[in-house]
Amino acid sequence: MQHYRTDNPFILHFDSTDYVQNKPLSGLRLAVKDLFHVQGIPTTAGNPNWLNTHDLPQVTATPVTQLIQDGCILTGKTITDELAYSLNGQNIHYGTPFNDKYPQQLPGGSSSGSAIAVANGLADIGLGTDTGGSIRVPASYNHLFGFRPTHGVISTENMVGLAPAFDTVGWLCRDFDIFAQVAHTLLPELPPSKTVEQWQIACPTALLHACEHQNLVQGLLDKLKSNHRVSQLDSPFDLPNLQQAAECFRVLQAWQIWSTHGQWIEENKGGFAPDIAQRFKACQAISRQQQQQAQLLQDKFKGQLQRLFARHDFILLPTTPGRAPLQSSSALELASYRTTLMSMTCIAGLGGLPQLHLPLGCHQGRPVGLSIIGPAHSDKLLFSVATYIQELLN
């Protein structure tokens, strides 16, 4: 089978206009990634075999319920990469949704359908998941705001998980005010975050130099320096350490995936795209010793992040290496790009940290952006930082 493009990011589309009135999100259209259970509606998880081997959900996922209760109109369930195990946004079974403004580029995955529904004006809010970058990456590729919360603060029950130790629920929006309002609905009341008049900002030098839109990021850093202390750091963000961290994340994610889905995958061989099947095969090959070694590396990396946040309030970094890859990119090119990309996205994943993506502009005609990573449970502080940065950018 070949990948094919679709201008319809929905697996199922609903025409309902019913909504709870006089609520913060009243009348806003909600597109839901097809991992979240909705009572009485099938969940495909991006794969027909999954659909055919699982019963209709009897309970709706909590984040979906919260958004509907706060006034959202559920417009449909959206395409996802198979079992959410990709960052490309391609699906050989249901299609690869594309952005009307950038039809030749990959949408980014695995929350591709939710991102494209929002980017193409078919929804106001795209609900998705982020395990290894699946909110942050499509947000960057499609000029959207995207948020991955602190691990565990939003319920992941009643949905199809990928790797529970890393899975988070996040969202994407075109409009920043709506984006921030969703935070009030979905984020629990957390202990007050540290607020400061003069932020201490860390920027990883290696990642800044590795991204193709370095000049755009540097321009923002120069503006921030007028009121805040910006430190361009090497350790722990030198490329060898980040490459080791990305490999650590790959091993731990793979171990989790096989522990969660291995039996079902074994029973349904032959029903996956070649690249997804290859990744599942690699998951199966991870040994207990590899998992234990990677766990030690994760603990070490988390310690480095904790020491960094003792001196800095947040990290500012490029979200992706640059523009989205083209749909015509070869499998080899995408595999190489994924390795570089994971050295950026693994930071929040390994640390269980919140990360907020902001669209920065365009580089050579296609969107690029940057991210803010904060310490655990600084989720709402990141929205305050984002508001300030938006004012600088505008």
Side-chain angles (χ1 to χ4, degrees):
M1 288 185 286
Q2 299 293 318
H3 292 294
Y4 60 95
R5 299 194 317 165
T6 174
D7 59 1
N8 180 14
F10 292 101
I11 292 284
L12 292 171
H13 189 270
F14 312 127
D15 294 324
S16 173
T17 57
D18 294 333
Y19 61 92
V20 181
Q21 297 186 13
N22 301 318
K23 291 288 186 175
L25 303 175
S26 288
L28 295 177
R29 298 163 299 165
L30 171 66
V32 174
K33 185 177 186 176
D34 196 22
L35 297 181
F36 293 94
H37 294 327
V38 177
Q39 183 180 16
I41 296 171
T43 302
T44 75
N47 182 277
N49 284 343
W50 185 275
L51 173 66
N52 294 332
T53 55
H54 290 80
D55 295 332
L56 282 180
Q58 299 303 306
V59 180
T60 299
T62 299
V64 179
T65 299
Q66 289 176 302
L67 290 167
I68 292 172
Q69 289 177 341
D70 246 8
C72 283
I73 302 169
L74 180 58
T75 60
K77 299 189 76 177
T78 59
I79 291 172
T80 176
D81 302 57
E82 295 179 79
L83 271 68
Y85 198 14
S86 179
L87 291 173
N88 295 329
Q90 297 168 307
N91 189 303
I92 65 171
H93 308 290
Y94 300 115
T96 300
F98 65 88
N99 187 323
D100 289 343
K101 294 181 180 178
Y102 315 101
Q104 302 306 314
Q105 71 174 32
L106 287 173
S110 61
S111 302
S112 56
S114 295
I116 295 305
V118 172
N120 288 348
L122 303 174
D124 303 297
I125 303 163
L127 190 69
T129 62
D130 189 308
T131 302
S134 295
I135 286 285
R136 295 164 285 166
V137 171
S140 181
Y141 291 173
N142 295 287
H143 200 73
L144 301 173
F145 300 97
F147 185 68
R148 170 207 167 94
T150 298
H151 185 264
V153 303
I154 298 178
S155 173
T156 56
E157 294 181 356
N158 298 308
M159 56 169 273
V160 181
L162 177 65
F166 301 111
D167 293 342
T168 63
V169 173
W171 62 95
L172 308 109
C173 297
R174 294 186 312 278
D175 180 89
F176 183 78
D177 290 338
I178 295 174
F179 180 60
Q181 185 59 54
V182 174
H184 291 294
T185 296
L186 291 184
L187 291 177
E189 290 300 323
L190 300 171
S193 300
K194 175 185 176 184
T195 57
V196 289
E197 294 181 359
Q198 187 178 54
W199 288 317
Q200 306 287 321
I201 305 166
C203 181
T205 304
L207 293 183
L208 178 62
H209 292 165
C211 79
E212 63 181 29
H213 54 293
Q214 176 183 348
N215 290 343
L216 290 175
V217 179
Q218 188 62 58
L220 174 61
L221 289 173
D222 291 342
K223 291 181 180 179
L224 287 169
K225 286 177 181 177
S226 63
N227 292 312
H228 308 284
R229 182 178 176 183
V230 178
S231 303
Q232 292 189 202
L233 302 180
D234 294 320
S235 178
F237 299 118
D238 55 281
L239 287 180
N241 196 44
L242 287 175
Q243 289 165 356
Q244 184 182 59
E247 175 62 13
C248 168
F249 182 89
R250 184 193 72 82
V251 169
L252 292 174
Q253 181 190 45
W255 178 268
Q256 285 263 313
I257 290 169
W258 197 255
S259 298
T260 304
H261 296 302
Q263 181 178 343
W264 183 85
I265 293 167
E266 283 282 272
E267 294 170 354
N268 291 273
K269 286 182 177 178
F272 304 106
D275 60 329
I276 304 296
Q278 185 177 18
R279 286 192 204 119
F280 284 144
K281 186 176 180 180
C283 291
Q284 186 179 17
I286 298 297
S287 68
R288 180 67 174 173
Q289 182 180 14
Q290 286 177 294
Q291 184 268 339
Q292 291 174 336
Q293 290 174 339
Q295 187 65 65
L296 291 174
L297 287 173
Q298 181 188 19
D299 293 343
K300 176 184 175 183
F301 190 70
K302 289 176 73 171
Q304 292 173 325
L305 290 172
Q306 288 171 356
R307 289 190 291 276
L308 184 148
F309 284 123
R311 306 186 308 273
H312 298 86
D313 297 296
F314 59 87
I315 306 167
L316 193 147
L317 72 164
T319 306
T320 67
R323 300 162 297 166
L326 297 175
Q327 295 204 32
S328 59
S329 300
S330 69
L332 185 62
E333 288 171 330
L334 290 177
S336 176
Y337 179 85
R338 179 184 174 88
T339 300
T340 305
L341 178 60
M342 291 300 293
S343 68
M344 297 180 173
T345 61
C346 72
I347 297 169
L350 288 174
L353 305 177
Q355 181 169 344
L356 188 153
H357 168 81
L358 290 167
L360 187 56
C362 286
H363 177 74
Q364 297 182 356
R366 300 209 300 278
V368 291
L370 57 87
S371 279
I372 315 159
I373 298 177
H377 303 295
S378 66
D379 302 60
K380 289 189 175 179
L381 174 62
L382 295 192
F383 281 86
S384 297
V385 176
T387 299
Y388 176 81
I389 291 177
Q390 279 292 105
E391 293 172 354
L392 285 181
L393 292 174
N394 295 331

